[in-house]
Amino acid sequence: MYRPPSHVTMSCVFITDIYMALTCIQHCQRCTSLLRSRSVGITTLQYSTDAQHWPAALWNSFIVRVLPSVLQRSPNPSQTRQRWNLGVRSYCESHAKVQPSQTKHGNTDELPETDMVSYQNPVSHQLIDGGMLLKEWQTAFDLDDAPGHSALEEISHEEAVHMNIPAALPPVSISLKDYVNESETLGKLIQLGVQLWKLEQRPNVGSMLLRLDFQTDVTPRLVFLKQLGVDDSRLGYLISHNPFILTESLENLQARVAYLRSKKFSAESVASMVSRAPYLLNFSVKRMDNRLGFYQQQLGLSAQKTRDVVARLPRLLCGSLETVKENLKICKLEMGFRENELQHIVTVIPKVLTANKRKLTQIFDYIHNTMNIPHDLIVKFPQVLNAKYLRIKERHLFLQYLDKAQYDPAKPNYICLDKLVSLPDEAFCTEVASATLKDFELFQKTM
Amino acid sequence: WAAALEGLFSIYKPPGVHWKLVRDTIETNLLKGINAAPPPAPRQRVQFLAEPTSVVAEGSNELTLSAASVPALAHHPLVSGPEFLHIGVGVGHRLDVFSSGVLVLGVGQSNKALTDLYRSHVTRDYTLEGELGMATDNFSHTGRLIERTTYDHITRDKLERVLAMMQGSNQKALLTYSKVDMSTQGAYELAVKGELRPDGKSPPIMTGLRLLHFQPPHFTLEVQCLNETQRYLCRILHEVGLELRSTAVCKGVRRTRDGPFTIQHALTHQHWTSTDVIQAIRQYRSSRKASKAKHTQPGKDTGTASQRQEMAEEAAVTGDSHRLHSVLTSKAFGS
């Protein structure tokens, strides 16, 4: 059994001792004598209070990750003596595997509150069995031993001031509000404009964001996106919709961008595609390749036109191909558009590929059967397929009431479909129907 | 904001849309308007920072802590989210997908007033468009066709006779359900003024039926009724067809009035924004105050008596014998 060092000096606190003690604890779980040491570093103090709550299973991951960074960044090498409080014992009782080689002397100064390092620990939000694990390893220790110091012991003024009590963060929480003041990552994300309130509703995303380290994880990816050409103002939108871009490996991201560039997408179009389809870079090269190939083959478009279509609607590369296939089938079979007509429609309005089938068929049915507009006219103005059904219906009935519903370009007083659909109400009333807005509203109420 | 939003207003529901979608759209728009208010100034919290190393001499025991005021991010709008996530918007007498017309909605506390409004027997005006010569399974022209008949023999005269007969039977039903003793003078006076109303629950009753337009095969009826459903009205049309030894289907049901809410002030779908809704509520409130000021009748305590008072108010304000302003006197509407 390992004997704790007999010298427990007032001046120096050695992490080595602690780490060796920890390893010893891992082997034999009875080192309560160490608890009585008066000089334990702040790191132990900080983690100890939290350790009570956090289950042992987490310790491996967090101790290994956090402590090295703590050591590298602790600013003040001067020693401070810490008082070992009640309840701190659980730190030493952890199962942490820490390499003694990583230790450094004397880097145990208290981290000021503003240094958020200590809180980049895996704060488990959804630990349901946390309490169970805690009980298990607490019973392993002899709880009958009295603690070394009592809380009523008098301490000097300097000691009291230098004692840094860490904020009592709840180990499990339903909201990121409790952690946002302490976490550097979350604070910087808020400055970017990320909507944390939406992200915390998604399962596991909140814990993931808290576990991220701003310098090592988030910054390289933000720099990468900036280099890509994504605007600063869009970064917030990107992360709000796709927080997993921060966990995607940089090699993968770079490979995918390289693939897109190799397919001759210009840099600006890649940047715009990424900012409009936040999930784009999370898809593998193979999947993107598959989709690009599908669109080129199915639509029969040239490479340049396929690029244009995809650049205009980058969602096409993200979503499922089944819906697109069904929409294409509907256009060909139900609506009876020919190959070249369909190509033209898709190049002008790519949204037709991802539109709701029921709404699309409803609009087409009304336009073709009720308004009696032939196919070639619809192909000339595909915007009508993108409009709202109610709008088309109201405006058509209004024009019919005024005897102006004439959509044949050969005859006089022809009403352009484009104008019918895309003009705002005022402009439509004055230009197309030559009536007032009030008349239009009154007519709407007679429908 | 909250005070401005409390009240009732009417919208014009377009055909082909479920009423729930309409209600959800309006709730979303109201929330957008409310949450658009600028967020309050961020709260600050005090943090004590240790002095940097360069300032503190090595080995000195002096403690130096500086206080800094740091914004507390826990209440930042991006962390806490929008202030309001839900507004209680209640719907009055519902309209099914096929029909269109005036739909009364209430916000907040006024939802209680809605239930009162519909418990007091409020009449509604409908315009029914019918087509002769067809019969379908759900009485409307979108249903599966069952039968086709000829309608050449039908004239305006015959149609009006059928309508008069139907109105007569409805009137009789009204008399029986109003549970008023027919042999009293009071009952006669009420009947003359047209203020008879059913007491308690009753089946759908039409208090008025009129032919607006007749061009075979199309015709238009105007109906005033109580306790109805749109399907019942389509069935009425079907029965009219049957009475004429032919068949008829309903091509459109349009509600032009729901209690005191007319189609004139109903909001069309481009006006379903929070500013327009607030204006409509204000208008409704001012009209209510105006009519309250007009009527200084002493309040009566019996249920039927108060109903009759409401009838009188309704008739007086709108000049038509079937308008109801019970909403004005009922306490639930007190702001």
Side-chain angles (χ1 to χ4, degrees):
Chain A
M1 180 167 161
Y2 172 80
R3 279 208 192 89
S6 51
H7 63 284
V8 181
T9 58
M10 301 269 283
S11 53
C12 305
V13 178
F14 294 102
I15 282 215
T16 37
D17 295 334
I18 298 156
Y19 288 160
M20 285 201 280
L22 289 174
T23 43
C24 113
I25 286 158
Q26 194 192 344
H27 298 304
C28 58
Q29 294 167 355
R30 279 182 152 270
C31 287
T32 48
S33 51
L34 204 64
L35 302 176
R36 296 182 199 121
S37 142
R38 297 187 83 216
S39 46
V40 183
I42 178 59
T43 43
T44 55
L45 188 72
Q46 280 176 331
Y47 300 129
S48 56
T49 46
D50 303 326
Q52 285 174 61
H53 313 289
W54 295 347
L58 284 185
W59 282 85
N60 288 342
S61 49
F62 102 72
I63 290 281
V64 172
R65 269 180 60 204
V66 172
L67 283 176
S69 52
V70 162
L71 300 174
Q72 282 150 29
R73 274 197 272 146
S74 66
N76 197 339
S78 67
Q79 311 307 316
T80 47
R81 231 181 37 152
Q82 298 304 317
R83 173 128 340 243
W84 188 260
N85 284 324
L86 265 181
V88 162
R89 62 159 84 122
S90 45
Y91 176 80
C92 294
E93 295 161 354
S94 74
H95 307 165
K97 281 192 193 111
V98 180
Q99 331 297 335
S101 57
Q102 285 174 3
T103 63
K104 251 199 239 175
H105 278 276
N107 279 339
T108 58
D109 195 16
E110 53 190 279
L111 302 165
E113 282 258 321
T114 45
D115 184 355
M116 318 282 196
V117 170
S118 51
Y119 297 98
Q120 293 163 17
N121 297 320
V123 180
S124 50
H125 284 234
Q126 290 104 7
L127 291 175
I128 303 154
D129 58 344
M132 285 290 291
L133 288 172
L134 203 69
K135 279 193 212 124
E136 278 163 47
W137 54 255
Q138 266 182 352
T139 47
F141 303 102
D142 192 357
L143 297 172
D144 293 331
D145 295 341
H149 303 280
S150 102
L152 299 171
E153 212 173 306
E154 282 197 19
I155 54 172
S156 73
H157 196 55
E158 294 86 29
E159 272 185 31
V161 167
H162 284 287
M163 205 179 311
N164 190 20
I165 316 292
L169 292 181
V172 177
S173 167
I174 54 163
S175 158
L176 286 174
K177 263 190 247 192
D178 305 317
Y179 307 103
V180 77
N181 282 328
E182 314 297 331
S183 162
E184 183 196 5
T185 321
L186 293 183
K188 293 267 161 55
L189 286 178
I190 291 178
Q191 283 175 18
L192 277 176
V194 175
Q195 292 183 323
L196 290 178
W197 63 275
K198 267 195 194 159
L199 287 178
E200 71 189 10
Q201 286 165 10
R202 288 164 70 165
N204 300 325
V205 169
S207 336
M208 180 205 76
L209 287 176
L210 266 175
R211 275 185 210 121
L212 291 175
D213 177 60
F214 191 72
Q215 299 299 331
T216 52
D217 298 328
V218 182
T219 316
R221 286 167 183 82
L222 292 178
V223 165
F224 168 77
L225 287 171
K226 272 210 77 168
Q227 281 171 345
L228 207 56
V230 176
D231 205 26
D232 288 349
S233 50
R234 292 293 287 185
L235 287 172
Y237 169 85
L238 242 169
I239 302 178
S240 305
H241 285 257
N242 181 20
F244 302 109
I245 204 169
L246 299 173
T247 51
E248 194 71 32
S249 78
L250 269 172
E251 298 90 41
N252 280 343
L253 292 175
Q254 277 158 355
R256 286 154 197 171
V257 170
Y259 168 76
L260 286 173
R261 292 305 306 274
S262 76
K263 288 289 169 186
K264 302 197 192 113
F265 281 96
S266 72
E268 300 86 33
S269 60
V270 173
S272 96
M273 277 163 70
V274 170
S275 29
R276 280 184 300 144
Y279 277 98
L280 187 66
L281 290 180
N282 277 48
F283 290 113
S284 65
V285 170
K286 188 176 166 194
R287 193 181 149 122
M288 282 201 278
D289 189 42
N290 188 20
R291 274 170 175 64
L292 280 173
F294 170 80
Y295 291 122
Q296 187 158 13
Q297 192 201 21
Q298 281 288 316
L299 298 173
L301 296 170
S302 71
Q304 176 60 33
K305 284 205 169 158
T306 323
R307 273 200 288 275
D308 284 336
V309 166
V310 171
R312 279 182 63 183
L313 194 66
R315 258 194 352 233
L316 288 172
L317 287 182
C318 298
S320 147
L321 285 180
E322 292 306 317
T323 41
V324 176
K325 282 182 198 164
E326 284 171 16
N327 276 24
L328 282 173
K329 277 255 147 52
I330 286 176
C331 288
K332 276 189 206 148
L333 302 175
E334 236 184 273
M335 302 187 194
F337 283 115
R338 288 193 297 268
E339 226 6 89
N340 56 341
E341 290 175 337
L342 198 55
Q343 279 175 13
H344 180 80
I345 291 177
V346 170
T347 31
V348 177
I349 306 271
K351 209 171 163 192
V352 167
L353 293 174
T354 47
N356 185 342
K357 290 187 280 292
R358 194 176 42 86
K359 290 185 188 168
L360 196 61
T361 38
Q362 195 184 31
I363 292 174
F364 179 79
D365 173 52
Y366 191 76
I367 292 175
H368 188 58
N369 298 329
T370 317
M371 287 163 75
N372 292 322
I373 293 175
H375 278 93
D376 39 337
L377 212 55
I378 300 179
V379 172
K380 262 203 201 143
F381 300 108
Q383 303 91 328
V384 287
L385 292 173
N386 201 17
K388 289 218 179 296
Y389 172 71
L390 189 65
R391 190 178 227 208
I392 302 173
K393 190 169 157 188
E394 279 179 352
R395 288 183 175 188
H396 167 70
L397 287 174
F398 188 51
L399 290 175
Q400 211 175 41
Y401 177 71
L402 296 172
D403 283 328
K404 286 187 180 167
Q406 207 278 95
Y407 305 110
D408 190 356
K411 298 182 190 155
N413 289 335
Y414 153 69
I415 304 261
C416 178
L417 281 177
D418 175 32
K419 287 220 178 109
L420 177 79
V421 158
S422 49
L423 286 179
D425 281 334
E426 280 247 23
F428 169 77
C429 289
T430 42
E431 283 177 33
V432 181
S434 42
T436 59
L437 193 58
K438 235 175 158 347
D439 295 336
F440 185 52
E441 281 177 29
L442 281 174
F443 179 77
Q444 275 182 324
K445 293 186 190 175
T446 64
M447 270 189 40
Chain B
W1 268 108
L5 269 182
E6 297 271 337
L8 300 178
F9 61 100
S10 62
I11 57 159
Y12 189 88
K13 181 188 101 68
V17 180
H18 198 273
W19 62 266
K20 212 171 186 194
L21 212 77
V22 167
R23 193 209 72 89
D24 289 339
T25 315
I26 291 197
E27 187 178 333
T28 316
N29 288 349
L30 287 177
L31 278 172
K32 263 193 224 167
I34 288 186
N35 287 329
R43 284 192 227 173
Q44 307 276 339
R45 65 190 172 104
V46 176
Q47 224 176 30
F48 289 99
L49 311 170
E51 283 292 334
T53 340
S54 51
V55 178
V56 175
E58 276 288 337
S60 72
N61 276 344
E62 285 172 17
L63 63 104
T64 34
L65 292 174
S66 59
S69 187
V70 175
L73 290 172
H75 300 280
H76 195 278
L78 284 176
V79 180
S80 55
E83 220 183 303
F84 297 100
L85 286 172
H86 174 71
I87 296 184
V89 176
V91 179
H93 196 88
R94 301 189 286 268
L95 278 171
D96 62 358
V97 180
F98 174 65
S99 37
S100 61
V102 173
L103 185 63
V104 179
L105 297 173
V107 183
Q109 297 297 317
S110 310
N111 291 325
K112 296 176 200 161
L114 269 180
T115 43
D116 281 350
L117 180 68
Y118 293 103
R119 223 182 295 134
S120 66
H121 301 271
V122 148
T123 54
R124 288 172 264 267
D125 267 358
Y126 284 86
T127 308
L128 303 174
E129 277 153 54
E131 188 176 332
L132 294 166
M134 283 206 305
T136 55
D137 56 351
N138 66 351
F139 310 128
S140 75
H141 74 295
T142 53
R144 188 173 57 94
L145 192 63
I146 294 180
E147 186 182 345
R148 271 200 195 272
T149 55
T150 55
Y151 49 85
D152 310 322
H153 58 280
I154 299 174
T155 60
R156 193 180 181 120
D157 185 40
K158 284 187 192 164
L159 191 53
E160 289 192 346
R161 214 177 295 167
V162 166
L163 295 178
M165 184 205 70
M166 290 185 83
Q167 192 167 7
S169 60
N170 272 287
Q171 197 75 12
K172 255 193 230 166
L174 182 61
L175 292 178
T176 37
Y177 280 100
S178 66
K179 295 187 184 129
V180 166
D181 193 0
M182 282 301 116
S183 48
T184 58
Q185 176 67 15
Y188 169 73
E189 276 170 18
L190 278 179
V192 157
K193 287 186 213 159
E195 285 171 7
L196 276 178
R197 287 287 180 273
D199 202 9
K201 283 199 171 180
S202 84
I205 296 180
M206 291 191 293
T207 55
L209 192 51
R210 192 158 71 104
L211 181 66
L212 282 179
H213 175 72
F214 180 68
Q215 183 112 31
H218 304 286
F219 64 99
T220 316
L221 297 181
E222 192 189 323
V223 179
Q224 281 154 5
C225 43
L226 301 161
N227 278 337
E228 82 300 346
T229 57
Q230 282 81 46
R231 211 180 141 81
Y232 174 77
L233 295 171
C234 295
R235 216 183 90 202
I236 293 286
L237 268 185
H238 174 81
E239 280 169 14
V240 163
L242 289 179
E243 290 290 328
L244 291 165
R245 309 286 185 269
S246 174
T247 47
V249 287
C250 180
K251 285 187 78 177
V253 176
R254 195 166 68 93
R255 192 194 277 162
T256 45
R257 181 184 65 84
D258 188 345
F261 296 93
T262 56
I263 207 169
Q264 195 188 7
H265 300 295
L267 301 171
T268 46
H269 66 94
Q270 48 257 53
H271 294 295
W272 288 350
T273 56
S274 48
T275 35
D276 289 310
V277 165
I278 289 178
Q279 204 181 2
I281 292 178
R282 211 180 291 149
Q283 204 173 35
Y284 161 73
R285 276 205 208 140
S286 58
S287 71
R288 204 179 86 201
K289 280 193 190 125
S291 47
K292 251 191 192 170
K294 267 194 203 172
H295 303 296
T296 49
Q297 298 173 19
K300 294 169 195 165
D301 39 5
T302 57
T304 44
S306 66
Q307 267 188 346
R308 273 179 228 128
Q309 179 198 5
E310 287 144 11
M311 296 313 133
E313 285 176 356
E314 175 191 291
V317 169
T318 56
D320 193 352
S321 58
H322 293 293
R323 309 278 178 188
L324 174 63
H325 277 278
S326 63
V327 297
L328 302 178
T329 49
S330 108
K331 279 187 191 150
F333 280 81
S335 50

